[in-house]
Amino acid sequence: EPEVTQTPSHQVTQMGQEVILRCVPISNHLYFYWYRQILGQKVEFLVSFYNNEISEKSEIFDDQFSVERPDGSNFTLKIRSTKLEDSAMYFCASSWPGLAPDEQYFGPGTRLTVT
Amino acid sequence: EDKVVQSPLSLVVHEGDTVTLNCSYEVTNFRSLLWYKQEKKAPTFLFMLTSSGIEKKSGRLSSILDKKELSSILNITATQTGDSAIYLCAVLNYGGSQGNLIFGKGTKLSVKP
Protein backbone atom coordinates (compact mmCIF):
# COMPACT_ATOMS: atom_id res chain seq x y z
CA GLU A 1 0.00 0.00 0.00
CA PRO A 2 1.43 3.43 -0.90
CA GLU A 3 2.55 5.53 2.03
CA VAL A 4 4.10 8.84 2.89
CA THR A 5 7.73 8.56 3.97
CA GLN A 6 9.83 11.04 5.93
CA THR A 7 13.52 11.39 6.67
CA PRO A 8 15.23 11.56 9.02
CA SER A 9 13.18 9.92 11.75
CA HIS A 10 15.02 11.93 14.40
CA GLN A 11 17.10 15.09 14.02
CA VAL A 12 19.05 16.77 16.78
CA THR A 13 20.33 20.27 16.10
CA GLN A 14 21.70 23.25 17.95
CA MET A 15 19.77 26.46 18.35
CA GLY A 16 20.34 28.79 15.41
CA GLN A 17 21.14 26.03 12.95
CA GLU A 18 19.21 25.38 9.76
CA VAL A 19 17.38 22.08 9.31
CA ILE A 20 15.68 20.51 6.33
CA LEU A 21 13.04 17.88 6.88
CA ARG A 22 12.23 15.70 3.92
CA CYS A 23 9.07 13.99 2.81
CA VAL A 24 8.10 11.80 -0.11
CA PRO A 25 4.33 12.04 -0.53
CA ILE A 26 2.20 9.29 -2.07
CA SER A 27 3.07 9.31 -5.75
CA ASN A 28 -0.20 10.43 -7.36
CA HIS A 29 -1.06 12.94 -4.64
CA LEU A 30 -0.93 16.62 -5.48
CA TYR A 31 -1.83 18.35 -2.21
CA PHE A 32 0.89 18.46 0.42
CA TYR A 33 0.93 19.58 4.05
CA TRP A 34 3.16 19.99 7.05
CA TYR A 35 1.88 19.69 10.60
CA ARG A 36 3.70 19.63 13.90
CA GLN A 37 2.99 18.17 17.32
CA ILE A 38 4.81 19.51 20.35
CA LEU A 39 5.11 16.80 22.99
CA GLY A 40 1.84 16.43 24.87
CA GLN A 41 0.00 18.92 22.70
CA LYS A 42 -2.35 18.88 19.72
CA VAL A 43 -1.31 18.32 16.13
CA GLU A 44 -1.13 21.78 14.55
CA PHE A 45 -1.31 22.84 10.92
CA LEU A 46 1.71 24.64 9.49
CA VAL A 47 1.30 24.93 5.74
CA SER A 48 -0.40 23.51 2.66
CA PHE A 49 1.11 23.40 -0.80
CA TYR A 50 -0.24 22.79 -4.27
CA ASN A 51 1.06 23.42 -7.77
CA ASN A 52 4.38 24.69 -6.46
CA GLU A 53 2.78 27.34 -4.31
CA ILE A 54 1.77 27.74 -0.71
CA SER A 55 -2.02 27.53 -0.50
CA GLU A 56 -2.42 28.38 3.17
CA LYS A 57 -0.20 28.85 6.17
CA SER A 58 -0.79 29.21 9.87
CA GLU A 59 0.53 31.85 12.23
CA ILE A 60 3.22 29.38 13.29
CA PHE A 61 4.65 29.36 9.77
CA ASP A 62 6.66 32.56 9.99
CA ASP A 63 9.62 33.78 7.94
CA GLN A 64 11.88 31.16 9.52
CA PHE A 65 9.98 28.44 7.70
CA SER A 66 9.91 27.61 4.02
CA VAL A 67 8.69 24.73 1.89
CA GLU A 68 9.82 23.47 -1.44
CA ARG A 69 9.15 20.72 -3.93
CA PRO A 70 12.62 20.49 -5.43
CA ASP A 71 11.79 17.63 -7.77
CA GLY A 72 8.88 15.39 -8.72
CA SER A 73 8.93 13.35 -5.56
CA ASN A 74 10.30 15.25 -2.57
CA PHE A 75 8.61 17.88 -0.43
CA THR A 76 10.78 19.67 2.11
CA LEU A 77 10.33 21.88 5.15
CA LYS A 78 13.23 24.17 6.02
CA ILE A 79 13.66 25.95 9.31
CA ARG A 80 16.29 28.62 8.82
CA SER A 81 17.39 29.35 12.36
CA THR A 82 16.00 26.86 14.83
CA LYS A 83 14.74 27.86 18.26
CA LEU A 84 14.24 25.70 21.33
CA GLU A 85 10.47 25.96 20.85
CA ASP A 86 10.75 24.37 17.41
CA SER A 87 11.35 21.04 19.12
CA ALA A 88 8.43 18.88 18.05
CA MET A 89 7.34 15.99 15.86
CA TYR A 90 6.86 17.22 12.30
CA PHE A 91 4.40 15.33 10.12
CA CYS A 92 4.10 15.52 6.37
CA ALA A 93 0.75 14.64 4.80
CA SER A 94 -0.60 14.38 1.29
CA SER A 95 -3.95 14.02 -0.41
CA TRP A 96 -5.29 13.54 -3.89
CA PRO A 97 -7.54 16.19 -5.45
CA GLY A 98 -9.92 13.60 -6.82
CA LEU A 99 -12.91 11.99 -5.21
CA ALA A 100 -11.63 12.41 -1.66
CA PRO A 101 -9.34 15.45 -1.47
CA ASP A 102 -9.93 15.80 2.25
CA GLU A 103 -8.42 12.42 3.11
CA GLN A 104 -4.96 13.38 4.24
CA TYR A 105 -2.45 10.59 4.73
CA PHE A 106 0.33 11.17 7.19
CA GLY A 107 3.95 10.11 7.23
CA PRO A 108 5.68 8.64 10.31
CA GLY A 109 7.08 12.01 11.33
CA THR A 110 10.48 13.52 12.07
CA ARG A 111 11.25 14.19 15.69
CA LEU A 112 13.21 17.45 15.83
CA THR A 113 15.14 18.19 19.00
CA VAL A 114 16.71 21.63 19.30
CA THR A 115 19.33 21.96 22.03
CA GLU B 1 -11.59 30.74 17.49
CA ASP B 2 -11.98 27.44 15.67
CA LYS B 3 -11.75 24.45 17.98
CA VAL B 4 -12.24 20.71 18.20
CA VAL B 5 -12.92 19.14 21.60
CA GLN B 6 -12.70 15.44 22.32
CA SER B 7 -13.96 13.53 25.31
CA PRO B 8 -13.03 11.69 27.34
CA LEU B 9 -9.32 12.50 27.25
CA SER B 10 -8.51 9.01 28.40
CA LEU B 11 -10.36 5.77 28.84
CA VAL B 12 -9.41 2.37 30.23
CA VAL B 13 -11.55 -0.62 29.30
CA HIS B 14 -11.26 -4.39 29.20
CA GLU B 15 -11.14 -6.54 26.11
CA GLY B 16 -14.60 -7.14 24.73
CA ASP B 17 -16.04 -3.86 25.97
CA THR B 18 -17.69 -1.37 23.63
CA VAL B 19 -16.48 2.23 23.72
CA THR B 20 -17.82 5.50 22.39
CA LEU B 21 -15.50 8.41 21.78
CA ASN B 22 -16.89 11.91 21.35
CA CYS B 23 -15.86 14.86 19.25
CA SER B 24 -17.47 18.28 19.10
CA TYR B 25 -16.40 21.20 16.97
CA GLU B 26 -16.78 24.89 16.33
CA VAL B 27 -15.18 25.60 12.98
CA THR B 28 -16.04 28.52 10.75
CA ASN B 29 -15.66 26.79 7.40
CA PHE B 30 -16.50 23.17 8.10
CA ARG B 31 -16.15 20.77 5.20
CA SER B 32 -15.52 17.36 6.68
CA LEU B 33 -14.60 15.55 9.88
CA LEU B 34 -11.90 12.93 10.02
CA TRP B 35 -10.94 10.31 12.57
CA TYR B 36 -7.37 9.07 12.92
CA LYS B 37 -5.71 6.42 15.07
CA GLN B 38 -2.28 7.36 16.45
CA GLU B 39 -0.28 4.48 17.87
CA LYS B 40 3.39 5.25 17.95
CA LYS B 41 3.88 8.02 15.47
CA ALA B 42 1.86 8.75 12.35
CA PRO B 43 -1.88 9.35 12.57
CA THR B 44 -3.49 6.60 10.53
CA PHE B 45 -6.64 7.53 8.62
CA LEU B 46 -9.84 5.81 9.79
CA PHE B 47 -12.89 7.69 8.48
CA MET B 48 -13.96 10.84 6.74
CA LEU B 49 -17.48 12.12 7.31
CA THR B 50 -19.18 14.86 5.38
CA SER B 51 -22.89 14.11 5.58
CA SER B 52 -24.97 14.10 8.72
CA GLY B 53 -26.56 10.85 9.85
CA ILE B 54 -24.73 8.48 7.53
CA GLU B 55 -22.77 5.88 9.44
CA LYS B 56 -19.41 4.75 8.18
CA LYS B 57 -18.20 1.31 9.22
CA SER B 58 -14.96 -0.56 9.06
CA GLY B 59 -14.97 -3.86 10.90
CA ARG B 60 -15.58 -3.17 14.58
CA LEU B 61 -15.25 0.59 14.15
CA SER B 62 -18.06 2.90 13.13
CA SER B 63 -18.59 6.62 13.12
CA ILE B 64 -21.36 9.09 12.50
CA LEU B 65 -21.59 12.85 12.13
CA ASP B 66 -24.32 15.11 13.51
CA LYS B 67 -24.03 18.49 11.83
CA LYS B 68 -26.92 19.91 13.80
CA GLU B 69 -25.17 19.14 17.09
CA LEU B 70 -21.72 19.87 15.59
CA SER B 71 -20.44 16.55 16.82
CA SER B 72 -19.35 13.08 15.89
CA ILE B 73 -18.90 9.78 17.69
CA LEU B 74 -16.53 6.90 17.07
CA ASN B 75 -17.69 3.51 18.30
CA ILE B 76 -15.47 0.51 18.80
CA THR B 77 -17.20 -2.78 19.60
CA ALA B 78 -15.60 -5.90 21.08
CA THR B 79 -12.40 -3.99 21.85
CA GLN B 80 -9.04 -5.74 21.59
CA THR B 81 -5.66 -4.84 23.08
CA GLY B 82 -4.58 -3.79 19.59
CA ASP B 83 -7.15 -0.99 19.72
CA SER B 84 -5.05 0.73 22.39
CA ALA B 85 -4.03 4.06 20.84
CA ILE B 86 -4.81 7.75 20.80
CA TYR B 87 -7.84 8.49 18.64
CA LEU B 88 -7.74 11.88 17.00
CA CYS B 89 -10.67 13.82 15.65
CA ALA B 90 -9.91 16.52 13.09
CA VAL B 91 -12.11 18.93 11.17
CA LEU B 92 -11.21 20.16 7.73
CA ASN B 93 -11.38 23.92 7.78
CA TYR B 94 -11.92 24.90 4.17
CA GLY B 95 -10.91 28.46 3.38
CA GLY B 96 -11.33 28.17 -0.35
CA SER B 97 -8.18 26.35 -1.39
CA GLN B 98 -6.99 23.09 0.11
CA GLY B 99 -8.16 23.55 3.63
CA ASN B 100 -6.34 22.48 6.74
CA LEU B 101 -7.08 20.07 9.56
CA ILE B 102 -7.87 21.34 13.04
CA PHE B 103 -7.21 18.58 15.54
CA GLY B 104 -8.59 17.80 18.96
CA LYS B 105 -6.32 16.72 21.81
CA GLY B 106 -7.27 13.10 21.26
CA THR B 107 -8.71 10.33 23.41
CA LYS B 108 -6.18 7.89 24.80
CA LEU B 109 -7.77 4.45 24.83
CA SER B 110 -6.19 1.65 26.83
CA VAL B 111 -7.64 -1.83 26.42
CA LYS B 112 -6.63 -4.26 29.18
CA PRO B 113 -6.58 -8.02 28.56
Side-chain angles (χ1 to χ4, degrees):
Chain A
E1 189 175 325
E3 57 183 20
V4 178
T5 59
Q6 290 185 244
T7 55
S9 57
H10 189 192
Q11 172 105 39
V12 181
T13 190
Q14 289 191 326
M15 204 165 50
Q17 296 295 304
E18 174 183 288
V19 294
I20 297 176
L21 310 183
R22 301 178 195 282
C23 168
V24 179
I26 294 172
S27 64
N28 64 339
H29 284 188
L30 297 178
Y31 289 158
F32 312 119
Y33 310 83
W34 283 101
Y35 291 83
R36 78 170 186 192
Q37 187 176 32
I38 294 170
L39 192 63
Q41 297 187 25
K42 295 182 187 185
V43 177
E44 301 172 290
F45 168 74
L46 292 177
V47 66
S48 58
F49 189 88
Y50 169 67
N51 201 23
N52 283 318
E53 287 185 346
I54 290 175
S55 303
E56 291 177 60
K57 58 184 180 178
S58 72
E59 291 172 358
I60 303 166
F61 194 88
D62 62 22
D63 292 344
Q64 293 300 314
F65 291 87
S66 62
V67 288
E68 195 177 34
R69 187 148 162 87
D71 53 43
S73 58
N74 289 284
F75 178 50
T76 62
L77 174 69
K78 184 195 294 187
I79 309 175
R80 266 181 266 284
S81 178
T82 49
K83 303 188 277 276
L84 293 175
E85 54 264 39
D86 293 327
S87 295
M89 182 73 91
Y90 288 81
F91 293 108
C92 173
S94 68
S95 66
W96 179 58
L99 291 175
D102 298 354
E103 288 182 18
Q104 295 182 24
Y105 293 86
F106 283 73
T110 292
R111 178 163 295 286
L112 177 66
T113 302
V114 182
T115 61
Chain B
E1 183 189 338
D2 293 334
K3 62 180 178 181
V4 175
V5 178
Q6 292 185 246
S7 64
L9 291 180
S10 68
L11 192 54
V12 181
V13 300
H14 287 96
E15 270 192 318
D17 288 350
T18 292
V19 296
T20 298
L21 310 183
N22 301 287
C23 176
S24 64
Y25 61 89
E26 289 177 31
V27 175
T28 312
N29 297 303
F30 173 92
R31 185 154 108 167
S32 56
L33 185 144
L34 292 84
W35 284 96
Y36 288 87
K37 179 182 182 182
Q38 188 175 27
E39 292 179 88
K40 288 182 182 171
K41 286 186 179 178
T44 305
F45 174 80
L46 293 175
F47 296 113
M48 185 185 74
L49 305 158
T50 51
S51 300
S52 214
I54 298 174
E55 186 183 53
K56 289 216 172 174
K57 282 198 79 161
S58 176
R60 297 175 293 103
L61 277 67
S62 64
S63 183
I64 196 161
L65 175 65
D66 185 339
K67 285 170 126 174
K68 193 174 171 186
E69 296 296 325
L70 305 183
S71 66
S72 174
I73 59 170
L74 175 69
N75 282 318
I76 309 175
T77 59
T79 51
Q80 302 170 356
T81 54
D83 296 326
S84 296
I86 296 173
Y87 290 84
L88 299 173
C89 174
V91 169
L92 192 94
N93 180 40
Y94 185 66
S97 53
Q98 284 169 242
N100 61 82
L101 290 175
I102 300 170
F103 281 85
K105 286 186 176 179
T107 293
K108 183 175 180 181
L109 175 65
S110 299
V111 182
K112 304 290 185 190

